[in-house]
Amino acid sequence: MMNSEWRERKKLYTILGIFTLISILYLNFSDSLFSFSSFPYLWQPKMDFAGVNRTRFVILKDEGGGVEEFYINGWNSYWLMAESVWGESRQRVSEILERGAAMGLSVCRTWAFSDGPAAGPNALQLHPGVFNERAFQGLDYVVAEARRHRIRLILSLVNNLEAYGGTTQYVRWAQEAGVNVSSSSDFFFTNPTIKDYYKSYVKAVVTRKNSLSRIRYSDEPAIFAWELINEPRCTSSSCASDLQAWITEMAAFIKSLDHKHLVTIGLEGFYGQKTRKNLGVNPGEWTTSLGLDFIQNSATKNIDFASVHAYPHSWIPGANLTRRINFLSRWVDSHINDGENVLKKPVLFTEVGFPLGLQQGGSSERDTLLRIVYDRIYESAKKRRAGAGALYWQLLVEGMGKQYGDRFSLVAWQHPSTLKLITEQSFRLQNASYQSQTNTNLSHVSAKTP
């Protein structure tokens, strides 16, 4: 009888314990619409923050206080947040992160913006400072799932292009609010109201607490860096000083919110009039009217590393393969040299894109051009110079080409030669990182925790 009574009490205690645990979880997580889907992300794999040490990226080791040099082979998939808004499409996000990790890729660059009607029904920012919580939870999923696969993210905060809203949407919002601005997107860089719109958005993203992992973005080591803007350009060269002032202001603003993460601009890498000796490296004279200066812009305080893009097919249309090879070789070499000798910062080629194209004999023009970038990055890594890595534009999974594809997009596993090239580069850079592991003096390391 006593045994039977004890068993009943034990059952009751067990039920009460489970009920208490559920109540505690609910009280702690109900503000984020807590669901059992959060469970896999409440215990995340350990990751350390990234930093820079002179011209190299490093991983700041919590244990022992040392640093480990880090060379990047990565990719772009701009669509991750868009595909994470609804549960049924999240599998594509998980698949590309899993596939990227299997290819040895370490960093993925993606959009952390989606502004206004142009972004469609799943826009993240509906009006200035007004957000779609479901879309925000989609970004939460991207960040949490990236960490689960040990992938680091570069999150871009606004588009200079009109896709997904961009700077023109911010100007439009200001016009609708009665602000005296024309439709020129240059006002994005100068108008105080528009700059406040952008700062409000940045603060909402950087300080957000992830609804799945419960980790603030500012405390999340799976975020590698914040990118101020994708491919900034002025519509007039007279805007150059305004753009420079904007970069200075916004980089400092992000650092005031988040001292743990790196910040980059999002430049394409065009040289300006102030560095005339490099103008011949540009793909054409048209670049000098865009208000950009790779050296001056990238030298800005609080910009931790320089960003560069490479699109020889788009920038020099009609050129033959030989001319593209010559341009690309000089483009990559020039920026690595300037990172090493002038900026003294790492240089990351955050978009490199080439269409498939076939050469005589059936080999891929894409592979030829990608190999040029990869070989130069690897040679730089072996010498511990400023060429810190490259991100391919862009990777998709099957069935996404119509919605998100362009002529540079790639389902890598459908192209064995390119897949082999990407995977081998990952292995080479991992080996270079291993060879250069060091307990470097931390006085030169930035974006570290205090």
Side-chain angles (χ1 to χ4, degrees), residues 144-175:
E145 191 70 358
R147 180 160 180 178
R148 190 169 76 87
H149 289 91
R150 298 182 183 277
I151 297 293
R152 298 176 188 272
L153 298 172
I154 296 176
L155 296 180
S156 188
L157 294 166
V158 71
N159 204 356
N160 189 62
L161 308 172
E162 291 190 28
Y164 291 83
T167 56
T168 56
Q169 179 60 68
Y170 278 81
V171 173
R172 197 174 298 120
W173 277 331
Q175 290 177 317

mmCIF file of all heavy atoms in Angstrom, residues 144-175:
data_model
loop_
_atom_site.group_PDB
_atom_site.id
_atom_site.type_symbol
_atom_site.label_atom_id
_atom_site.label_comp_id
_atom_site.label_asym_id
_atom_site.label_seq_id
_atom_site.Cartn_x
_atom_site.Cartn_y
_atom_site.Cartn_z
ATOM 1 N N ALA A 144 20.070 32.333 -36.370
ATOM 2 C CA ALA A 144 20.160 31.152 -35.510
ATOM 3 C C ALA A 144 20.584 29.917 -36.301
ATOM 4 O O ALA A 144 21.391 29.107 -35.830
ATOM 5 C CB ALA A 144 18.814 30.901 -34.825
ATOM 6 N N GLU A 145 20.061 29.776 -37.500
ATOM 7 C CA GLU A 145 20.396 28.607 -38.321
ATOM 8 C C GLU A 145 21.842 28.698 -38.820
ATOM 9 O O GLU A 145 22.522 27.676 -38.938
ATOM 10 C CB GLU A 145 19.414 28.516 -39.492
ATOM 11 C CG GLU A 145 19.467 27.226 -40.272
ATOM 12 C CD GLU A 145 18.928 26.014 -39.531
ATOM 13 O OE1 GLU A 145 18.521 26.131 -38.351
ATOM 14 O OE2 GLU A 145 18.911 24.922 -40.129
ATOM 15 N N ALA A 146 22.304 29.899 -39.108
ATOM 16 C CA ALA A 146 23.705 30.061 -39.503
ATOM 17 C C ALA A 146 24.628 29.600 -38.377
ATOM 18 O O ALA A 146 25.608 28.885 -38.618
ATOM 19 C CB ALA A 146 23.986 31.517 -39.865
ATOM 20 N N ARG A 147 24.302 29.997 -37.165
ATOM 21 C CA ARG A 147 25.155 29.566 -36.048
ATOM 22 C C ARG A 147 25.105 28.053 -35.871
ATOM 23 O O ARG A 147 26.125 27.425 -35.575
ATOM 24 C CB ARG A 147 24.741 30.267 -34.762
ATOM 25 C CG ARG A 147 25.608 29.847 -33.580
ATOM 26 C CD ARG A 147 25.568 30.824 -32.452
ATOM 27 N NE ARG A 147 26.392 30.400 -31.339
ATOM 28 C CZ ARG A 147 26.563 31.089 -30.223
ATOM 29 N NH1 ARG A 147 25.962 32.268 -30.092
ATOM 30 N NH2 ARG A 147 27.308 30.631 -29.250
ATOM 31 N N ARG A 148 23.947 27.484 -36.067
ATOM 32 C CA ARG A 148 23.825 26.018 -35.936
ATOM 33 C C ARG A 148 24.767 25.313 -36.901
ATOM 34 O O ARG A 148 25.284 24.231 -36.594
ATOM 35 C CB ARG A 148 22.378 25.600 -36.175
ATOM 36 C CG ARG A 148 22.096 24.142 -35.817
ATOM 37 C CD ARG A 148 20.613 23.861 -35.810
ATOM 38 N NE ARG A 148 20.081 23.761 -37.151
ATOM 39 C CZ ARG A 148 20.068 22.628 -37.870
ATOM 40 N NH1 ARG A 148 20.597 21.525 -37.371
ATOM 41 N NH2 ARG A 148 19.543 22.615 -39.072
ATOM 42 N N HIS A 149 25.000 25.920 -38.059
ATOM 43 C CA HIS A 149 25.904 25.333 -39.053
ATOM 44 C C HIS A 149 27.306 25.931 -38.995
ATOM 45 O O HIS A 149 28.136 25.659 -39.868
ATOM 46 C CB HIS A 149 25.317 25.528 -40.453
ATOM 47 C CG HIS A 149 24.109 24.679 -40.725
ATOM 48 N ND1 HIS A 149 22.821 25.123 -40.479
ATOM 49 C CD2 HIS A 149 23.992 23.414 -41.188
ATOM 50 C CE1 HIS A 149 21.969 24.164 -40.806
ATOM 51 N NE2 HIS A 149 22.648 23.123 -41.227
ATOM 52 N N ARG A 150 27.553 26.778 -37.973
ATOM 53 C CA ARG A 150 28.859 27.420 -37.784
ATOM 54 C C ARG A 150 29.267 28.269 -38.988
ATOM 55 O O ARG A 150 30.440 28.316 -39.371
ATOM 56 C CB ARG A 150 29.936 26.381 -37.459
ATOM 57 C CG ARG A 150 29.668 25.628 -36.163
ATOM 58 C CD ARG A 150 30.768 24.634 -35.829
ATOM 59 N NE ARG A 150 30.469 23.875 -34.634
ATOM 60 C CZ ARG A 150 30.695 24.278 -33.386
ATOM 61 N NH1 ARG A 150 31.246 25.460 -33.174
ATOM 62 N NH2 ARG A 150 30.390 23.513 -32.357
ATOM 63 N N ILE A 151 28.290 28.920 -39.576
ATOM 64 C CA ILE A 151 28.523 29.866 -40.657
ATOM 65 C C ILE A 151 28.416 31.279 -40.089
ATOM 66 O O ILE A 151 27.515 31.576 -39.306
ATOM 67 C CB ILE A 151 27.491 29.680 -41.789
ATOM 68 C CG1 ILE A 151 27.619 28.285 -42.419
ATOM 69 C CG2 ILE A 151 27.612 30.784 -42.840
ATOM 70 C CD1 ILE A 151 28.907 28.050 -43.189
ATOM 71 N N ARG A 152 29.324 32.157 -40.503
ATOM 72 C CA ARG A 152 29.288 33.558 -40.074
ATOM 73 C C ARG A 152 28.613 34.395 -41.158
ATOM 74 O O ARG A 152 28.759 34.122 -42.353
ATOM 75 C CB ARG A 152 30.703 34.074 -39.804
ATOM 76 C CG ARG A 152 31.390 33.296 -38.680
ATOM 77 C CD ARG A 152 32.836 33.740 -38.484
ATOM 78 N NE ARG A 152 33.505 32.852 -37.549
ATOM 79 C CZ ARG A 152 33.512 33.001 -36.228
ATOM 80 N NH1 ARG A 152 32.862 34.032 -35.691
ATOM 81 N NH2 ARG A 152 34.147 32.147 -35.446
ATOM 82 N N LEU A 153 27.881 35.429 -40.745
ATOM 83 C CA LEU A 153 27.084 36.234 -41.659
ATOM 84 C C LEU A 153 27.616 37.663 -41.767
ATOM 85 O O LEU A 153 27.979 38.271 -40.762
ATOM 86 C CB LEU A 153 25.629 36.310 -41.180
ATOM 87 C CG LEU A 153 24.851 34.994 -41.097
ATOM 88 C CD1 LEU A 153 23.505 35.245 -40.407
ATOM 89 C CD2 LEU A 153 24.639 34.391 -42.477
ATOM 90 N N ILE A 154 27.636 38.182 -42.984
ATOM 91 C CA ILE A 154 27.743 39.617 -43.209
ATOM 92 C C ILE A 154 26.341 40.099 -43.524
ATOM 93 O O ILE A 154 25.720 39.647 -44.499
ATOM 94 C CB ILE A 154 28.699 39.953 -44.365
ATOM 95 C CG1 ILE A 154 30.121 39.507 -44.025
ATOM 96 C CG2 ILE A 154 28.665 41.451 -44.680
ATOM 97 C CD1 ILE A 154 31.114 39.714 -45.148
ATOM 98 N N LEU A 155 25.809 40.984 -42.694
ATOM 99 C CA LEU A 155 24.442 41.470 -42.853
ATOM 100 C C LEU A 155 24.464 42.883 -43.422
ATOM 101 O O LEU A 155 24.965 43.817 -42.794
ATOM 102 C CB LEU A 155 23.714 41.447 -41.509
ATOM 103 C CG LEU A 155 23.508 40.053 -40.891
ATOM 104 C CD1 LEU A 155 22.784 40.164 -39.554
ATOM 105 C CD2 LEU A 155 22.738 39.134 -41.836
ATOM 106 N N SER A 156 23.926 43.026 -44.632
ATOM 107 C CA SER A 156 23.869 44.321 -45.309
ATOM 108 C C SER A 156 22.588 45.041 -44.909
ATOM 109 O O SER A 156 21.506 44.446 -44.885
ATOM 110 C CB SER A 156 23.916 44.117 -46.826
ATOM 111 O OG SER A 156 24.056 45.347 -47.492
ATOM 112 N N LEU A 157 22.696 46.336 -44.605
ATOM 113 C CA LEU A 157 21.623 47.048 -43.920
ATOM 114 C C LEU A 157 20.741 47.915 -44.813
ATOM 115 O O LEU A 157 19.671 48.352 -44.378
ATOM 116 C CB LEU A 157 22.222 47.906 -42.803
ATOM 117 C CG LEU A 157 22.867 47.079 -41.668
ATOM 118 C CD1 LEU A 157 23.717 47.970 -40.785
ATOM 119 C CD2 LEU A 157 21.808 46.355 -40.852
ATOM 120 N N VAL A 158 21.140 48.187 -46.039
ATOM 121 C CA VAL A 158 20.265 48.898 -46.979
ATOM 122 C C VAL A 158 20.832 48.697 -48.376
ATOM 123 O O VAL A 158 22.036 48.440 -48.548
ATOM 124 C CB VAL A 158 20.162 50.418 -46.646
ATOM 125 C CG1 VAL A 158 21.451 51.148 -46.952
ATOM 126 C CG2 VAL A 158 18.985 51.073 -47.373
ATOM 127 N N ASN A 159 19.979 48.829 -49.376
ATOM 128 C CA ASN A 159 20.405 48.671 -50.758
ATOM 129 C C ASN A 159 20.510 50.037 -51.417
ATOM 130 O O ASN A 159 19.633 50.889 -51.242
ATOM 131 C CB ASN A 159 19.375 47.823 -51.516
ATOM 132 C CG ASN A 159 19.975 47.127 -52.723
ATOM 133 O OD1 ASN A 159 21.144 47.315 -53.049
ATOM 134 N ND2 ASN A 159 19.188 46.310 -53.389
ATOM 135 N N ASN A 160 21.569 50.257 -52.174
ATOM 136 C CA ASN A 160 21.618 51.461 -52.986
ATOM 137 C C ASN A 160 20.763 51.310 -54.246
ATOM 138 O O ASN A 160 20.327 52.294 -54.836
ATOM 139 C CB ASN A 160 23.061 51.798 -53.383
ATOM 140 C CG ASN A 160 23.175 53.160 -54.032
ATOM 141 O OD1 ASN A 160 22.871 54.170 -53.412
ATOM 142 N ND2 ASN A 160 23.585 53.193 -55.287
ATOM 143 N N LEU A 161 20.524 50.069 -54.642
ATOM 144 C CA LEU A 161 19.655 49.779 -55.779
ATOM 145 C C LEU A 161 18.204 49.787 -55.315
ATOM 146 O O LEU A 161 17.918 49.731 -54.119
ATOM 147 C CB LEU A 161 20.027 48.423 -56.381
ATOM 148 C CG LEU A 161 21.515 48.230 -56.721
ATOM 149 C CD1 LEU A 161 21.778 46.785 -57.124
ATOM 150 C CD2 LEU A 161 21.958 49.186 -57.806
ATOM 151 N N GLU A 162 17.277 49.810 -56.262
ATOM 152 C CA GLU A 162 15.865 49.890 -55.899
ATOM 153 C C GLU A 162 15.274 48.554 -55.459
ATOM 154 O O GLU A 162 14.203 48.521 -54.854
ATOM 155 C CB GLU A 162 15.053 50.458 -57.071
ATOM 156 C CG GLU A 162 15.344 51.932 -57.333
ATOM 157 C CD GLU A 162 14.368 52.545 -58.317
ATOM 158 O OE1 GLU A 162 13.216 52.065 -58.393
ATOM 159 O OE2 GLU A 162 14.757 53.495 -59.014
ATOM 160 N N ALA A 163 15.948 47.458 -55.774
ATOM 161 C CA ALA A 163 15.456 46.150 -55.355
ATOM 162 C C ALA A 163 15.328 46.106 -53.838
ATOM 163 O O ALA A 163 16.213 46.556 -53.113
ATOM 164 C CB ALA A 163 16.407 45.051 -55.839
ATOM 165 N N TYR A 164 14.218 45.591 -53.351
ATOM 166 C CA TYR A 164 13.925 45.491 -51.925
ATOM 167 C C TYR A 164 13.857 46.870 -51.254
ATOM 168 O O TYR A 164 14.133 47.005 -50.078
ATOM 169 C CB TYR A 164 14.931 44.572 -51.219
ATOM 170 C CG TYR A 164 14.765 43.123 -51.619
ATOM 171 C CD1 TYR A 164 15.352 42.625 -52.783
ATOM 172 C CD2 TYR A 164 13.972 42.257 -50.864
ATOM 173 C CE1 TYR A 164 15.165 41.310 -53.175
ATOM 174 C CE2 TYR A 164 13.788 40.939 -51.250
ATOM 175 C CZ TYR A 164 14.377 40.460 -52.405
ATOM 176 O OH TYR A 164 14.195 39.162 -52.802
ATOM 177 N N GLY A 165 13.467 47.879 -52.012
ATOM 178 C CA GLY A 165 13.246 49.202 -51.447
ATOM 179 C C GLY A 165 14.388 50.151 -51.695
ATOM 180 O O GLY A 165 14.303 51.070 -52.501
ATOM 181 N N GLY A 166 15.482 49.945 -50.991
ATOM 182 C CA GLY A 166 16.685 50.718 -51.213
ATOM 183 C C GLY A 166 16.594 52.171 -50.784
ATOM 184 O O GLY A 166 15.638 52.618 -50.141
ATOM 185 N N THR A 167 17.624 52.936 -51.167
ATOM 186 C CA THR A 167 17.704 54.337 -50.767
ATOM 187 C C THR A 167 16.545 55.152 -51.332
ATOM 188 O O THR A 167 16.089 56.111 -50.701
ATOM 189 C CB THR A 167 19.040 54.947 -51.218
ATOM 190 O OG1 THR A 167 19.182 54.770 -52.637
ATOM 191 C CG2 THR A 167 20.211 54.274 -50.523
ATOM 192 N N THR A 168 16.053 54.784 -52.510
ATOM 193 C CA THR A 168 14.941 55.542 -53.108
ATOM 194 C C THR A 168 13.683 55.429 -52.261
ATOM 195 O O THR A 168 12.877 56.366 -52.215
ATOM 196 C CB THR A 168 14.645 55.062 -54.535
ATOM 197 O OG1 THR A 168 14.388 53.655 -54.525
ATOM 198 C CG2 THR A 168 15.818 55.349 -55.457
ATOM 199 N N GLN A 169 13.493 54.293 -51.571
ATOM 200 C CA GLN A 169 12.333 54.142 -50.703
ATOM 201 C C GLN A 169 12.431 55.087 -49.505
ATOM 202 O O GLN A 169 11.431 55.689 -49.092
ATOM 203 C CB GLN A 169 12.204 52.695 -50.220
ATOM 204 C CG GLN A 169 11.033 52.446 -49.291
ATOM 205 C CD GLN A 169 9.697 52.762 -49.938
ATOM 206 O OE1 GLN A 169 9.269 52.086 -50.863
ATOM 207 N NE2 GLN A 169 9.015 53.796 -49.462
ATOM 208 N N TYR A 170 13.620 55.252 -48.965
ATOM 209 C CA TYR A 170 13.804 56.186 -47.855
ATOM 210 C C TYR A 170 13.481 57.612 -48.301
ATOM 211 O O TYR A 170 12.848 58.384 -47.561
ATOM 212 C CB TYR A 170 15.243 56.106 -47.328
ATOM 213 C CG TYR A 170 15.490 54.965 -46.369
ATOM 214 C CD1 TYR A 170 15.722 53.668 -46.823
ATOM 215 C CD2 TYR A 170 15.489 55.170 -44.989
ATOM 216 C CE1 TYR A 170 15.967 52.621 -45.955
ATOM 217 C CE2 TYR A 170 15.733 54.135 -44.103
ATOM 218 C CZ TYR A 170 15.966 52.858 -44.593
ATOM 219 O OH TYR A 170 16.197 51.818 -43.725
ATOM 220 N N VAL A 171 13.936 57.983 -49.499
ATOM 221 C CA VAL A 171 13.641 59.320 -50.013
ATOM 222 C C VAL A 171 12.133 59.483 -50.224
ATOM 223 O O VAL A 171 11.546 60.524 -49.889
ATOM 224 C CB VAL A 171 14.409 59.575 -51.326
ATOM 225 C CG1 VAL A 171 13.966 60.896 -51.966
ATOM 226 C CG2 VAL A 171 15.915 59.586 -51.070
ATOM 227 N N ARG A 172 11.498 58.443 -50.726
ATOM 228 C CA ARG A 172 10.045 58.482 -50.952
ATOM 229 C C ARG A 172 9.294 58.652 -49.634
ATOM 230 O O ARG A 172 8.325 59.415 -49.545
ATOM 231 C CB ARG A 172 9.611 57.209 -51.676
ATOM 232 C CG ARG A 172 8.236 57.280 -52.324
ATOM 233 C CD ARG A 172 7.948 56.034 -53.146
ATOM 234 N NE ARG A 172 8.913 55.900 -54.242
ATOM 235 C CZ ARG A 172 9.728 54.862 -54.400
ATOM 236 N NH1 ARG A 172 9.714 53.865 -53.531
ATOM 237 N NH2 ARG A 172 10.554 54.814 -55.411
ATOM 238 N N TRP A 173 9.746 57.946 -48.610
ATOM 239 C CA TRP A 173 9.103 58.098 -47.294
ATOM 240 C C TRP A 173 9.220 59.540 -46.803
ATOM 241 O O TRP A 173 8.278 60.091 -46.232
ATOM 242 C CB TRP A 173 9.753 57.156 -46.295
ATOM 243 C CG TRP A 173 9.224 55.751 -46.327
ATOM 244 C CD1 TRP A 173 7.967 55.344 -46.673
ATOM 245 C CD2 TRP A 173 9.947 54.564 -45.989
ATOM 246 N NE1 TRP A 173 7.856 53.979 -46.573
ATOM 247 C CE2 TRP A 173 9.051 53.466 -46.153
ATOM 248 C CE3 TRP A 173 11.244 54.294 -45.563
ATOM 249 C CZ2 TRP A 173 9.423 52.150 -45.903
ATOM 250 C CZ3 TRP A 173 11.615 52.991 -45.308
ATOM 251 C CH2 TRP A 173 10.713 51.925 -45.485
ATOM 252 N N ALA A 174 10.381 60.157 -47.009
ATOM 253 C CA ALA A 174 10.570 61.542 -46.581
ATOM 254 C C ALA A 174 9.640 62.477 -47.357
ATOM 255 O O ALA A 174 9.031 63.386 -46.769
ATOM 256 C CB ALA A 174 12.024 61.949 -46.784
ATOM 257 N N GLN A 175 9.494 62.254 -48.647
ATOM 258 C CA GLN A 175 8.584 63.077 -49.442
ATOM 259 C C GLN A 175 7.154 62.949 -48.938
ATOM 260 O O GLN A 175 6.424 63.937 -48.810
ATOM 261 C CB GLN A 175 8.662 62.673 -50.912
ATOM 262 C CG GLN A 175 9.960 63.052 -51.602
ATOM 263 C CD GLN A 175 10.003 62.551 -53.037
ATOM 264 O OE1 GLN A 175 9.616 61.413 -53.325
ATOM 265 N NE2 GLN A 175 10.475 63.399 -53.951
#
